[in-house]
Amino acid sequence: MDRMFAKPFVDALGGHQDGVYCLGKDPRRVSVVAGGGGDGEVIVHSLTMRRPLLKIPNAHRGMVGGICWTAEARDGKRGLITAGKLDGTIKVWRSDAFAPGLRDKEVFDGNEFGNGEGSSSQTPLDAAGAIGEDGFEFDDEEGGGLNIDQSKRDAMGKNLEPTMSYTSKNGFNGIDHHRTDGVFATASNTVQIWDETRSSPLSTLAFGSSMETVSGVKFNQSETSVLASIGNDRTMCLYDIRTGKAERRIMMQVGHSVG
């Protein structure tokens, strides 16, 4: 009976016009998550406020195959990376709206979004851009950055352009970013390692002659050079990006996913 009345369901983050096929949580802020839809739309949500921070319509042509966040802020903005499942493109998006609101170092210490008053010594929480970075000027009467009205938020997302774009012959089934470095990995028919500043992949990883479709990739958060991938043939492979080689391959009994 306790489980029946525990009410585990908290809320539904709406806004998508099509199904949501991938999620990307910001490792620096537990209350920020981005969702990719089947129509190519990307929406960044605030779990705390239960509302969208930004909507990017037509981020990709067709389904969004993967979403992840960059390891740090650049030019005072957080970075979001999206991968198209059908159009074979990777795009890096940077916006103040991904980390709205400035904080006063003395008044807002420890507060994720900055919801008080004061304007002296306004600095980002950390180099990873946990909050702030020249976000919307906080106005106590109007509610600050998080309460920007829907029309302004939609116009900002509609006019947002990617800061970087990469193309591939194949669509992407998943993407994940290195914990600290400007490197990310993608899953398609192979596993590829990319540098944010280069237009072509640094390396392509494969185990032997296997050409089975890779359905997901994930970096280890402690051993940051170790990467895991899963394939449609029920295999899981471990790679070391320092050597560019596959270290181990495991055949599972049933299907699985990398979370």
Side-chain angles (χ1 to χ4, degrees):
M1 295 297 294
D2 290 340
R3 292 184 179 181
M4 291 177 60
F5 292 101
K7 297 182 179 180
F9 176 75
V10 177
D11 196 22
L13 302 176
H16 284 281
Q17 303 301 312
D18 203 325
V20 180
Y21 294 93
C22 60
L23 290 174
K25 59 182 180 182
D26 189 341
R28 306 294 182 181
R29 299 167 298 163
V30 296
S31 62
V32 176
V33 63
D39 56 355
E41 184 180 49
V42 173
I43 302 181
V44 181
H45 298 274
S46 167
L47 300 181
T48 304
M49 301 293 292
R50 312 282 202 273
R51 63 176 298 172
L53 297 179
L54 191 70
K55 295 183 180 181
I56 309 176
N58 302 316
H60 291 276
R61 295 192 305 272
M63 187 184 300
V64 181
I67 296 179
C68 68
W69 294 83
T70 60
E72 61 182 1
R74 290 185 182 176
D75 301 324
K77 300 176 181 178
R78 288 290 284 144
L80 177 71
I81 306 180
T82 62
K85 192 177 183 69
L86 301 178
D87 61 9
T89 61
I90 303 169
K91 297 180 180 180
V92 181
W93 312 86
R94 295 186 183 277
S95 173
D96 298 326
F98 294 158
L102 296 173
R103 67 161 191 163
D104 182 275
K105 192 171 184 179
E106 297 177 356
V107 178
F108 301 141
D109 190 24
N111 188 324
E112 181 182 4
F113 290 117
N115 53 3
E117 58 185 23
S119 59
S120 62
S121 183
Q122 290 179 328
T123 58
L125 182 63
D126 58 21
I131 60 170
E133 302 113 359
D134 299 322
F136 304 110
E137 291 293 337
F138 185 83
D139 189 317
D140 193 29
E141 294 182 358
E142 296 183 1
L146 277 180
N147 290 325
I148 184 173
D149 64 72
Q150 183 176 346
S151 60
K152 291 182 179 179
R153 184 179 65 235
D154 291 346
M156 180 178 295
K158 185 177 181 180
N159 297 326
L160 185 64
E161 295 291 336
T163 58
M164 287 287 292
S165 184
Y166 317 84
T167 58
S168 175
K169 296 179 181 179
N170 303 293
F172 298 100
N173 303 316
I175 187 171
D176 194 41
H177 201 281
H178 192 278
R179 181 175 181 179
T180 56
D181 298 343
V183 175
F184 61 92
T186 58
S188 56
N189 62 328
T190 59
V191 175
Q192 292 181 313
I193 308 299
W194 302 73
D195 189 300
E196 291 181 25
T197 61
R198 300 182 57 177
S199 59
S200 58
L202 295 175
S203 60
T204 299
L205 308 178
F207 193 95
S209 59
S210 176
M211 294 298 294
E212 187 66 30
T213 299
V214 182
S215 55
V217 289
K218 196 74 173 179
F219 276 101
N220 190 304
Q221 295 299 294
S222 56
E223 295 291 339
T224 55
S225 62
V226 176
L227 175 72
S229 73
I230 55 173
N232 289 349
D233 58 350
R234 306 194 314 277
T235 59
M236 181 182 72
C237 295
L238 297 177
Y239 310 88
D240 191 326
I241 63 173
R242 293 170 298 184
T243 62
K245 297 180 179 179
E247 302 295 333
R248 189 176 181 184
R249 187 185 189 200
I250 303 172
M251 178 69 72
M252 309 295 287
Q253 295 298 320
V254 295
H256 49 270
S257 61
V258 172

